[in-house]
DNA sequence: CAGAATCCCTGTCGATACTG
DNA sequence: CAGTATCGACAGGGATTCTG
């Protein structure tokens, strides 16, 4: 009955949790997920496991602090795994967990959306500013 | 040829813009989109136009300042429209633009994901903390 | 009812320097 | 190479007050 119970619990959870409600834990989770660096890290790892340095190189301009901090949080939330290989220069690999992998389409969608509609947003801003300036 | 030109420009943009690159304008747009309040506002408006007060009521706990600030930014970026009806008590309605409407699935996905996987994240955190504490 | 403006505190984030 | 620690600048964000 374990399977049924877990399934029931999840269905129940889907009904109870609502990010529109203040104090709902999903509000906090939502604020963690809606993070520039999270979107980039998850997208970067979507192609497979990568080393710390590789991710840093991929995501240009990210500070070492923010990267480590973001990776730690994602690890704690069960979205990525951190594997340390004790070699001469320490090697650390990060990879998406199954849970983290489920987030890839979502994060990729935001990144892609921004890249695809950048010009339209620029036009809208120009119009808005012109109106406001007039 | 206007259509073809616009289409070509957009395709070109899709190739040029890359949020992984530092200094790329999409990085800034990405940081705006990855915002707790943006996700909630876009989701709230997905059902149709709503008044300021209705949105405030829907998104429990949002301060008047953050709501107004978020709505302004979204308006400037061309994602929502702001319509003022000069009645006795002023009435202001907000609605998604076609561009903003394209963002609904993405924003809804994040919110839904958080609500659907909250329990799994909780379990992961418990495990991580237990490990760290040991 | 909508929102502008102010105060103020806390957290975020980057730069730098140091350890294993 | 990966990560920690510290400091300082700055923005996020809440509470309050005031206007049309």
């Amino acid at each position: 009955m374990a399977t049924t119970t877990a399934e029931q619990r999840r269905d129940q959870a889907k009904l109870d949790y609502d990010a529109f409600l203040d104090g709902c834990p999903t509000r906090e989770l939502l604020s963690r997920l809606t993070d520039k660096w999270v979107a980039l890290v998850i997208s970067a790892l979507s192609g497979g496991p990568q080393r710390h340095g590789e991710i840093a190189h991929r995501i240009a301009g990210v500070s070492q602090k923010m990267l480590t901090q973001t990776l730690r949080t994602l690890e704690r939330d069960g979205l990525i795994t951190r594997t340390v290989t004790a070699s001469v220069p320490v090697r650390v690999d990060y990879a998406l967990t199954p849970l983290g992998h489920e987030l890839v389409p979502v994060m990729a969608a935001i990144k892609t959306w921004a890249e695809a509609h950048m010009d339209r947003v620029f036009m809208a801003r120009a119009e808005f500013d012109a109106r406001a300036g007039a």
Side-chain angles (χ1 to χ4, degrees), chain A:
Chain A
M1 299 293 180
T3 303
T4 306
T5 304
E7 203 175 321
Q8 286 177 338
R9 252 206 309 267
R10 201 175 314 162
D11 288 349
Q12 185 65 21
K14 284 183 182 180
L15 293 175
D16 289 351
Y17 289 134
D18 184 355
F20 279 137
L21 302 178
D22 192 15
C24 179
T26 55
R27 180 73 69 87
E28 185 263 359
L29 178 57
L30 182 65
S31 71
R32 285 184 188 277
L33 296 179
T34 52
D35 180 299
K36 178 178 42 173
W37 302 124
V38 167
L40 292 173
V41 166
I42 296 291
S43 294
L45 287 176
S46 65
Q50 293 197 13
R51 301 184 57 174
H52 180 103
E54 290 174 329
I55 304 174
H57 183 258
R58 187 93 189 272
I59 305 175
V62 64
S63 69
Q64 169 274 341
K65 178 185 173 180
M66 286 315 298
L67 181 55
T68 298
Q69 185 176 304
T70 303
L71 290 169
R72 277 290 176 291
T73 304
L74 291 176
E75 185 195 1
R76 191 172 103 95
D77 287 353
L79 299 173
I80 65 175
T81 57
R82 178 172 175 270
T83 309
V84 181
T85 305
S87 48
V88 189
V90 184
R91 177 195 177 97
V92 181
D93 287 270
Y94 291 93
L96 291 171
T97 62
L99 184 61
H101 206 77
E102 291 184 44
L103 199 56
V104 170
V106 182
M107 292 294 118
I110 306 184
K111 181 174 175 294
T112 301
W113 197 96
E115 291 164 355
H117 301 292
M118 186 73 249
D119 51 350
R120 284 224 257 166
V121 171
F122 271 147
M123 287 171 59
R125 285 181 187 173
E127 273 187 47
F128 183 90
D129 293 345
R131 238 174 258 287

